[in-house]
């Protein structure tokens, strides 16, 4: 929306919400990276600070919800403005869930700390994490620019994440068959992989929200 | 849904200035249609075409097809005076006659000969006041001056007065713009009730009001019809960018 | 520092402005007061008239006919003047010589014979007995008793000789002459003698004329205004008409008199000096004023009222007459009454159509010769007798009071009909 509102404060309110979401997104991205690092390096100290940051993310979610509610009450937004406000709350929710995934990933590090999973699987997990991070970056960019093409690309990229998840599952199942005593570790791996897969889904939702803001179309309903 | 009004290629000039530039718009029967748009966009002018009030303005010329129930209201056989009994109007500023409440409501029926006796006239007046939701408030002061009432009550008197001649259509030109929010809400509720029996066309500056009250909305801009559709759609996801800019309060 | 100075200057300017305003008002009031007091001082004495109580016996057999009523022919032939004079001179037995008798006779009004005749015609049972009839003294006696007689000029140039003055003084001390209420002023028409003259004829003439004026001007003006305001399409022609109406209201009234003279009298051959023609001329003069007032009142009615009526399906005529005109009534009435009050005081146009004639009868119809009050005042003020001058002033007071009352009626009517919209 290039055109400005006649009432400048309206634009300021909208920008505030946008900035909060971008901040939250940045923080969540950092969380994902930190969680992945902690996983790969088996760093336990990182886990505590990660958990603390997660509380901050939850606070930001609450804040965005409040800002959206206020904007609806004070400005009675219509059409695209209304969608901006409503979808902002949805995006914040998705970001918060992403944060939770990062947290649960980090928590699993504690469980895996005294094990040494196979390199091949861990590198796949690293790849998933990278893709997820890229997806999040692109989704946030698409949100900033209200770019529905960028949002579409994000949705496409999720297929890769799903693929890797399937791969990891197969590898893990085979590894369990071969070495049943490693089953605990491998179940954690499967669950970790699923975390990232879910994370991808949440980011796809964010992209869908961006599409809905711009076109008013709810893709989830049609698909 | 039947069309009460069918208009095609309506053009209105005030002298050499063009006020309505080729508008085609159909008004559904027994529904509330709202006309929105910035100042000077022609919505009031269009409204006044529907009951030929533009005839009273010097230098105003109207062309195009305007049909009420399939009859051309601008044909020579139609008397504007009769038309206005069928198509009533309520104005922006409440304008009751400086007479008693009873006389205000009774005036229309009297000049159109709708009551054959005093008792019948009395009935018409009471009925109109009831339909306008005013009967309880003025039942025991029907012969007091209408100008002594509050703004909201006066506007409802004007509505009752318009109803008393038993029109088919009620045109309203920003009827609530001079009223406080409570009076406005009372009238909006009244419109809801009335739409069952009448076709209502309302011009309003308040988009919130158009959104609350009407089933269909037309957006005018600089004498042209930009968009016309279901009110729900216009205010959540309009087709035209101009419409969106207007309803979200954007320049451009 | 600068702000204080500006403030002081502004206060000083305001004080000066107030001073000018109050001074102007005071000057205007003083002039008004001077005018009113001079008129009053000159006129109040006309409320009284010198009357002489006359002891007289008239035998009835010479005048009554078989029905017991006064026979007109006999009354005409009877020498009332000499009877009255003789009766009067009984108060002065010492007056013997002819010239003295003539001088004495001049102390009573020359119309007293006629007045006494009228008395006996009305009161047939007064015959044969001695009656006391109050007759009017002559105007010189009247003015002398009111102190308006200049005794300082030499006897030959005076209207009353010293002998007469002595007689009058004697009469006064003996109660043979008294100043009583001047009922003739209110009950008689004009006369050659001031003591018998009154404004009734002029008042009735004015009333008849005004009636014609209102009857002609009010409906025409209101109709014209409504047409111009509601039905005429604005064009060069209507602008032209409007400009002309506004100018007509400012035309000197004597021009309307000339118009009346040439159009009504010369061209149409209508009789001169009648209320009908006077009314028509004054109507011409009043119509522009009333049109202007009516148009202003109609314009002052908010257009929303007219729109409301039209929106209900009223025709233009219905909207105009059911709603706009009644609301404009206060203004219309005020304009009409002011126009009439103005016409009431006009003399110039009436002079031109000849209402300056000497009319001794109270006019009985719209086509009987009449005069109007302002014209009467003009004629009296112009005459030689002093007594007419004081009557003129009293008539002016009468007219002023009447005009004030008319304007008060206008104010009251306006207040009464003013409705809030």
């Amino acid at each position: 929306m290039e055109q400005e509102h006649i009432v400048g404060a309206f634009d300021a309110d909208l920008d505030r919400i946008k900035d909060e979401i971008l901040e939250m997104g940045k923080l969540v991205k950092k969380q994902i990276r930190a969680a992945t690092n902690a996983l790969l390096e088996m760093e336990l100290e990182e886990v505590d600070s990660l958990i603390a940051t997660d509380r901050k993310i939850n606070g930001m979610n609450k804040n965005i919800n409040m800002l959206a509610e206020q904007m609806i009450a004070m400005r009675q937004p219509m059409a695209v403005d209304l969608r901006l406000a409503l979808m902002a709350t949805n995006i914040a929710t998705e970001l918060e869930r992403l944060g939770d995934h990062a947290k649960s990933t980090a928590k699993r590090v504690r469980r895996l700390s005294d094990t040494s999973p196979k390199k091949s699987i861990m590198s796949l997990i690293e790849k998933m994490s990278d893709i997820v991070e890229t997806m999040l970056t692109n989704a946030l960019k698409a949100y900033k620019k209200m770019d529905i093409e960028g949002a579409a690309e994000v949705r496409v990229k999720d297929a890769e994440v799903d693929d890797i998840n399937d791969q990891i599952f197969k590898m893990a199942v085979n590894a369990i068959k071969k070495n049943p005593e490693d089953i605990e570790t491998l179940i954690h791996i499967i669950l970790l992989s699923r975390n990232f897969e879910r994370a991808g889904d949440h980011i796809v939702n964010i992209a869908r929200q961006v599409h809905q803001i711009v076109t008013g179309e709810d893709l989830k309903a049609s698909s | 849904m039947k069309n009460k009004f069918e208009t095609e290629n309506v053009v209105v000039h005030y002298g050499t200035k063009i006020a309505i530039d080729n508008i085609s718009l159909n008004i559904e029967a027994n529904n509330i249609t709202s006309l929105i748009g910035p100042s000077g966009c022609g919505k009031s002018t269009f409204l006044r075409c529907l009951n030929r009030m533009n005839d009273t303005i010097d230098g105003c010329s109207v062309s195009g097809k305007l049909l009420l129930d399939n009859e051309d209201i601008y044909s020579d056989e139609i008397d504007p005076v009769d038309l206005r009994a069928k198509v009533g109007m309520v104005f922006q500023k409440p304008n009751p006659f400086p007479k008693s409440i009873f006389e205000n409501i009774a005036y229309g029926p009297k000049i159109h000969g709708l009551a054959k006796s005093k008792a019948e006239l009395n009935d018409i007046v009471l009925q109109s006041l009831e339909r306008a939701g005013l009967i309880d408030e003025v039942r025991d002061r029907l012969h007091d001056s209408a100008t002594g009432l509050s703004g909201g009550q006066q506007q409802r008197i004007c509505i009752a007065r318009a109803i008393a001649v038993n029109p088919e259509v009620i045109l309203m030109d920003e009827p609530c713009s001079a009223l406080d929010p409570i009076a406005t809400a009372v009238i909006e509720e009244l419109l809801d009730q009335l739409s069952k029996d009448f076709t209502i066309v309302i011009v309003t500056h308040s988009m919130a009001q158009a959104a609350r009250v009407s089933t269909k909305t037309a957006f005018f801009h600089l004498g042209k019809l930009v968009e016309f559709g279901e009110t729900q759609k216009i205010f959540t996801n309009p087709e035209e960018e101009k419409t969106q800019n207007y309803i979200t309060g954007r320049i451009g | 520092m600068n702000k204080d100075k500006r403030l002081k200057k502004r206060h000083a300017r305001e004080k000066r402005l107030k001073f000018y305003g109050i001074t102007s008002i005071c000057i205007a009031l003083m002039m008004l007061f001077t005018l009113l007091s001079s008129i009053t001082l000159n006129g109040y004495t006309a409320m009284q008239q010198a009357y002489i109580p006359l002891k007289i016996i008239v035998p009835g057999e010479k005048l009554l006919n078989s029905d017991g009523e006064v026979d007109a022919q006999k009354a005409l032939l009877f020498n009332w003047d000499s009877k009255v004079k003789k009766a009067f001179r009984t108060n002065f037995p010492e007056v013997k010589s002819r010239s003295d008798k003539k001088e004495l006779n001049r102390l009573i009004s020359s119309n007293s014979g006629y007045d006494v005749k009228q008395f006996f015609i009305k009161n047939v049972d007064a015959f044969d007995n001695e009656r006391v009839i109050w007759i009017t003294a002559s105007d010189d006696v009247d003015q002398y008793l009111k102190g308006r007689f200049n005794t300082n000029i030499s006897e030959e140039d005076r209207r009353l000789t010293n002998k007469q003055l002595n007689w009058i003084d004697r009469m006064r001390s003996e109660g043979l002459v008294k100043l009583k209420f001047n009922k003739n002023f209110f009950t008689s028409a004009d006369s050659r003698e001031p003591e018998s003259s009154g404004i009734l004829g002029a008042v009735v003439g004015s009333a008849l004329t005004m009636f014609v004026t209102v009857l002609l001007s009010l409906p025409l003006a209101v109709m014209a205004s409504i047409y111009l305001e509601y039905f005429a399409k604005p064009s060069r022609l209507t602008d032209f008409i409007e400009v002309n109406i506004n100018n007509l209201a400012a035309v000197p009234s004597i021009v309307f008199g000339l118009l009346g003279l040439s159009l009504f009298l010369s061209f149409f051959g209508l009789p001169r000096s009648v209320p009908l023609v006077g009314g028509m001329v004054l109507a011409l003069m009043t119509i522009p004023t009333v049109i202007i007032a009516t148009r202003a009142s109609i314009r002052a009615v908010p257009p929303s009222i007219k729109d409301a009526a039209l929106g209900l399906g009223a025709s233009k005529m219905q909207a105009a007459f059911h709603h706009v005109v009644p609301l404009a009534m206060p203004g219309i009435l005020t304009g009409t009454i002011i126009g009439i009050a103005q016409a009431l005081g006009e003399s110039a146009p009436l002079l031109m159509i000849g209402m300056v004639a000497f009319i001794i009868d109270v006019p009985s119809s719209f086509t009987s010769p009449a005069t109007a009050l302002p014209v009467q005042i003009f004629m009296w003020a112009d005459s030689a007798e002093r007594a007419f001058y004081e009557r003129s002033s009293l008539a002016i007071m009468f007219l002023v009071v009447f005009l004030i009352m008319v304007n008060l009626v206008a104010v009251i009517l306006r207040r009464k009909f003013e409705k809030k919209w």
Side-chain angles (χ1 to χ4, degrees), chain B residues 51 53 56 58 81 84-85 87-89 91 95-99 107-108 111-112 147 161-162 165, chain C residues 232-234 304-316 318-319 322-323 327 419-421:
Chain B
N51 69 347
M53 275 300 265
T56 65
D58 293 313
V81 167
R84 290 182 202 136
V87 181
M89 193 169 225
F91 299 86
N95 54 5
F97 302 127
K99 293 184 177 175
Y107 182 68
I111 57 173
H112 290 289
T147 49
R161 185 174 66 182
V165 294
Chain C
K233 287 233 171 337
S304 57
I305 304 279
K306 189 183 107 189
D307 281 342
L310 291 176
L312 284 173
S315 67
K316 261 194 184 172
Q318 285 171 322
H322 290 170
H323 295 288
L327 283 176
K419 286 193 206 175
K420 274 213 303 198
W421 53 62

Side-chain angles (χ1 to χ4, degrees), chain A residues 1 3-7 10-11 14 78-81 83 215-216, chain B residues 207-208 211 235-238 241 244-245 247-252:
Chain A
M1 312 298 116
Q3 283 111 338
E4 291 166 344
H5 283 93
I6 298 171
V7 178
F10 198 165
D11 282 322
L14 281 174
M78 300 274 201
V80 63
D81 294 338
R83 293 198 296 275
T215 63
Chain B
M207 285 173 289
F235 287 104
T236 53
N237 198 7
E241 192 177 333
Q244 174 146 270
N245 282 342
I247 61 175
T248 56
R250 284 185 157 85
I251 327 166

